[in-house]
Amino acid sequence: MPKFYSLLFGMMKKKYFLCLAGALFLSCVTSHAMNPEGHDDSSAIPSQPVTLDCKAPQYLKAGDKVALISPSYLTPMENVTKTASLLRSWGLEPVIGPHVGKVYMGKYAGTLDERLSDLRWALAAPDIKAIICNRGGYGSIHLIDEMQLTEFSDHPKWLVGYSDISTLHGLMARAGVMSIHGTMSAHLASNGQDLTSQLMLKWLMGQVPRYEVPAHPQNILGRAQGVLVGGNLCTIVPNVGTIADATAGEGIILFIEEVEESMHNVDRQLNVLRMNGVLDRCRGVILGEFTDCGSEFTCESVEAMLRPYFEPYHIPVLCGFPAGHGDVNLPLAMGAPVMIDVRADGATVQFDIPGEQQLVRTSE
């Protein structure tokens, strides 16, 4: 073989070897990244929609213990102790998490290990019958990689919270357990006798609201049934593709609300959901309150800005449901089968779960 061809053949063999070695290396790296040793790879983006089949935890009775924990930002201990007093007045026995009152980095309610420890304690303790979160803020995203879904399903119990607690609602729905998107210690400590607080208490005790909601100019009429998922928009969007992503569910009713965000950021977050196929899986949408959100566009409201995104899907959209960061934050059961009926004269929201149905007109 001429020297030139011999050299060329040698280079080709060397290049083939390097390519093969590189491919094997990338395969190992990718495999390790997707399933590192000792870590559950169930947080990878699902290849197809998941089925959400959530069960309602047992309702409370007088004397039951309720844990007060802070999985995200801290709240003043005064709020926690006032909430504990309120729970006692309701005939329940409050138990404050061991690390509640801790402060880390000036905002968090303790280190990740401390917050995680209180959550695990409240979930696992057989004598704790429900969990009320003290505050949202930020930080629940840190918990996702640390938790297994079985930790939520082994001892199912009601968990209450909103805002950043939307991450925990997602985890519970993926674990097959319903939870309550409802008010927390800061609000409970200031009142406790208002409709928001009373409906949350009644729900924990077995009275399920059936809501009648006034008509809204941006509503899209229609009727739909599905599993209610969602929560605070900027909290649930970063969870897409993780084990906390309940929007991966098939046949969902999507609930979203937001506070102090610009219109363009609300638009951005909804587009992330759209591009990840969430709207394709929606049978209907409930838009809660968009409290103190920006008005940099000429749209008359956030609802008016979002409506064109929903119209091509021909699904009902209920606007203006009083849940979120406003003074009124009516409870919703996340992971629960729900029917929405949006008509020209108003709308209804009805849950198909055990309990005594109670009519609630949100305009009153």
Side-chain angles (χ1 to χ4, degrees):
M1 181 183 294
K3 184 175 182 181
F4 172 79
Y5 291 107
S6 177
L7 179 63
L8 180 61
F9 182 68
M11 292 174 64
M12 290 174 65
K13 289 196 295 181
K14 183 176 181 181
K15 183 176 180 181
Y16 172 79
F17 173 78
L18 290 173
C19 289
L20 179 60
L24 290 172
F25 173 77
L26 287 174
S27 175
C28 293
V29 170
T30 303
S31 175
H32 180 74
M34 293 179 65
N35 187 19
E37 184 178 355
H39 184 74
D40 183 2
D41 67 350
S42 59
S43 62
I45 297 177
S47 58
Q48 58 185 8
V50 300
T51 300
L52 299 177
D53 184 15
C54 301
K55 308 300 181 186
Q58 289 187 349
Y59 293 116
L60 303 185
K61 61 183 184 302
D64 278 346
K65 291 183 179 180
V66 178
L68 296 173
I69 64 170
S70 300
S72 306
Y73 272 3
L74 62 92
T75 191
M77 277 302 298
E78 180 183 7
N79 288 342
V80 180
T81 55
K82 285 184 177 179
T83 300
S85 296
L86 177 65
L87 292 176
R88 290 189 194 96
S89 73
W90 286 347
L92 300 169
E93 183 179 344
V95 184
I96 298 174
H99 295 98
V100 171
K102 298 282 188 178
V103 183
Y104 179 65
M105 294 180 65
K107 285 286 189 179
Y108 296 116
T111 64
L112 172 57
D113 287 343
E114 289 169 337
R115 291 180 283 131
L116 188 64
S117 174
D118 278 8
L119 176 59
R120 283 189 162 134
W121 157 74
L123 288 170
D127 58 336
I128 297 294
K129 303 303 181 183
I131 303 168
I132 296 178
C133 299
N134 292 316
R135 187 187 170 186
Y138 176 73
S140 65
I141 195 170
H142 303 149
L143 307 173
I144 297 175
D145 284 343
E146 305 294 332
M147 303 293 295
Q148 299 292 323
L149 294 181
T150 52
E151 295 183 73
F152 296 90
S153 58
D154 283 347
H155 303 283
K157 57 195 68 177
W158 291 107
L159 180 143
V160 182
Y162 71 103
S163 191
D164 193 58
I165 307 304
S166 300
T167 293
L168 299 186
H169 292 310
L171 285 165
M172 293 194 70
R174 290 293 297 268
V177 183
M178 297 179 197
S179 56
I180 296 178
H181 181 281
T183 195
M184 300 181 287
S185 286
H187 181 92
L188 294 172
S190 65
N191 197 326
Q193 304 305 316
D194 61 310
L195 182 63
T196 293
S197 304
Q198 289 295 313
L199 285 181
M200 188 267 283
L201 166 66
K202 290 179 180 180
W203 202 323
L204 289 174
M205 306 298 286
Q207 293 187 34
V208 180
R210 176 170 61 87
Y211 294 113
E212 289 190 356
V213 187
H216 191 284
Q218 299 302 330
N219 279 353
I220 299 178
L221 308 187
R223 176 184 291 188
Q225 290 180 297
V227 178
L228 187 64
V229 303
N232 179 255
L233 184 62
C234 287
T235 298
I236 66 172
V237 169
N239 297 340
V240 168
T242 73
I243 60 170
D245 181 16
T247 68
E250 188 73 85
I252 58 175
I253 303 293
L254 178 67
F255 164 71
I256 55 176
E257 60 83 24
E258 195 46 82
V259 60
E260 295 180 350
E261 288 291 342
S262 63
M263 274 190 166
H264 73 259
N265 199 36
V266 172
D267 181 273
R268 176 191 291 119
Q269 304 302 324
L270 187 73
N271 270 287
V272 173
L273 294 181
R274 178 186 61 80
M275 290 185 289
N276 278 275
V278 174
L279 299 189
D280 294 304
R281 296 189 286 275
C282 281
R283 293 178 180 172
V285 174
I286 299 175
L287 297 182
E289 296 195 340
F290 292 86
T291 308
D292 298 329
C293 287
S295 57
E296 69 269 32
F297 298 145
T298 55
C299 306
E300 62 183 79
S301 64
V302 173
E303 293 87 351
M305 177 184 71
L306 296 181
R307 177 178 170 139
Y309 287 115
F310 301 125
E311 288 176 333
Y313 295 89
H314 306 291
I315 56 176
V317 178
L318 192 166
C319 299
F321 187 87
H325 286 75
D327 292 334
V328 179
N329 181 17
L330 303 187
L332 295 165
M334 312 309 291
V338 66
M339 183 184 76
I340 62 172
D341 185 8
V342 187
R343 309 174 306 277
D345 63 342
T348 57
V349 177
Q350 183 168 354
F351 294 92
D352 183 17
I353 62 176
E356 178 187 348
Q357 293 284 323
Q358 175 191 14
L359 176 63
V360 177
R361 294 183 175 89
T362 65
S363 59
E364 296 179 354

